[in-house]
Amino acid sequence: MIIKKVHLYKIDMKLLSPFSTSYGTVQDRELILLEVEDEKGFTGWGEVVAFSSPWYTEETIQTCFHMLNDFLIPSLLHQQLQKPEDVQKLFKPLKRNNMAKAALDCAVWDLYAKRQNKPLAELIGGVRPAVEAGVVVGLNDISIMKEQIRTYMKDGYKRFKVKIKPGADYELLKQIRDEFPSIPLMADANSAYTLSDSDSLKKLDELNLMMIEQPLSSDDILDHRLLQKQMQTPICLDESIVSYEDARHAIEQKSCKIINVKIGRVGGLSVAKQIHDLCAQHGVRLWVGGMLEAGISRAHNIALATLPSFTIPGDISASSRYWEKDIIKPEVEVEAGVIKVKEKPGIGYDIDKKFIKTITAFEKEYK
């Protein structure tokens, strides 16, 4: 296949309610959408999930546009591709910038699946007709957080993640655990702690948590190894894993027992599949993380979550959890805690181009 055209849309969406973590609060969500077209007229879609500020990784929407506009799109246009993995080979000389790379990687996977007339989940080796959905509860007043959990329980969500930070951790989680003693509960620290906080973190062992996600620095593997030795609660690495090699090093060092895979963070669906296969070989459990994404990335996440070693419900909520209206048709729906995998070729959802036009702040076509 030869990529003949790329259309870029920079869109602005507003979350239904502010979402707070130890990093900060997000209300307005900038995203970049990419539509790639081949020589036969097939199209595929990808989504840049970086934030407006570099608080999760060093990438932002603005840096991603720079990389796409000046380097990545020009290096992909008019290239002969045998398979989607070839995109990674094209991009290898360009360092990092994983979220920009991932959007094009995913778009090519969607296009390739449509050329093969297969659902993306089937094409990558997925084994599930439906995936279990987890949900995230941002930092807020404890009464609001509890009410959100009650609502999500009624919706059938299978796993509950609560954001924490120093000063809002043990007591907050204990109140939640006391009221909801049997829910699958985990904590996400977003790198808010250091090894000097070990005693505070070890107290969380009392609360029967599924895991604590990324307690220490976002670029650390070694200190997490020391912390995991002291804790019974499994450590899950998120921000620390931005490549296949990071995953390999974390497994070799025994720095975690679980890994959260975010397609954007690791550079695309091709790398996410490689990390899945590595973790399967070593018995490391996996789940798919979320980035407050719109429907295109959500659809790619659903496909990834069908792979056999993604055994923990991921951050794949219903579209209505975040948006008044999503950019795909139909929107992602959760029924009894699961999302049915679409059987249409590619990501399985139609793109609502008419709606996208109404929220587009900037667009550009590359030929």
Side-chain angles (χ1 to χ4, degrees), residues 145-160:
M145 296 174 74
K146 287 181 179 179
E147 185 57 37
Q148 288 177 336
I149 291 172
R150 289 188 201 99
T151 299
Y152 300 145
M153 288 176 69
K154 291 176 184 176
D155 292 338
Y157 283 98
K158 303 294 186 181
R159 188 230 65 208
F160 301 83

Side-chain angles (χ1 to χ4, degrees), residues 204-261:
L204 302 182
D205 283 341
E206 302 172 17
L207 302 177
N208 188 30
L209 301 177
M210 297 176 71
M211 69 191 87
I212 177 170
E213 184 180 0
Q214 197 70 37
L216 308 181
S217 175
S218 60
D219 60 357
D220 172 76
I221 288 176
L222 293 178
D223 282 354
H224 278 102
R225 175 176 181 258
L226 299 175
L227 181 63
Q228 183 67 91
K229 283 184 174 181
Q230 300 176 54
M231 294 190 70
Q232 296 174 12
T233 303
I235 287 175
C236 168
L237 289 184
D238 176 352
E239 291 96 322
S240 293
I241 310 298
V242 300
S243 68
Y244 174 89
E245 291 302 315
D246 285 338
R248 182 175 66 82
H249 293 155
I251 291 169
E252 290 177 353
Q253 294 293 325
K254 295 182 171 58
S255 300
C256 63
K257 296 179 181 178
I258 300 168
I259 288 177
N260 159 355
V261 179

Side-chain angles (χ1 to χ4, degrees), residues 1-6 36-39 72-82 90-91 108 365-367:
M1 57 186 165
I2 300 173
I3 304 302
K4 292 288 190 179
K5 187 190 302 183
V6 178
V36 300
E37 184 176 330
D38 70 3
E39 79 284 5
L72 297 173
I73 292 174
S75 71
L76 178 63
L77 273 174
H78 310 300
Q79 294 292 330
Q80 180 98 29
L81 305 174
Q82 299 300 319
L90 286 175
F91 293 165
V108 172
E365 189 170 83
Y366 303 81
K367 294 182 178 179

Side-chain angles (χ1 to χ4, degrees), residues 110 113-114 118-121 299-300 303 328-330 341-351:
D110 181 30
K114 289 169 182 171
K118 291 183 178 180
L120 179 59
H300 281 100
I328 56 171
K329 298 186 294 186
V341 180
K342 300 299 183 185
E343 297 181 355
K344 290 177 59 176
I347 60 174
Y349 294 84
D350 294 325
I351 308 303

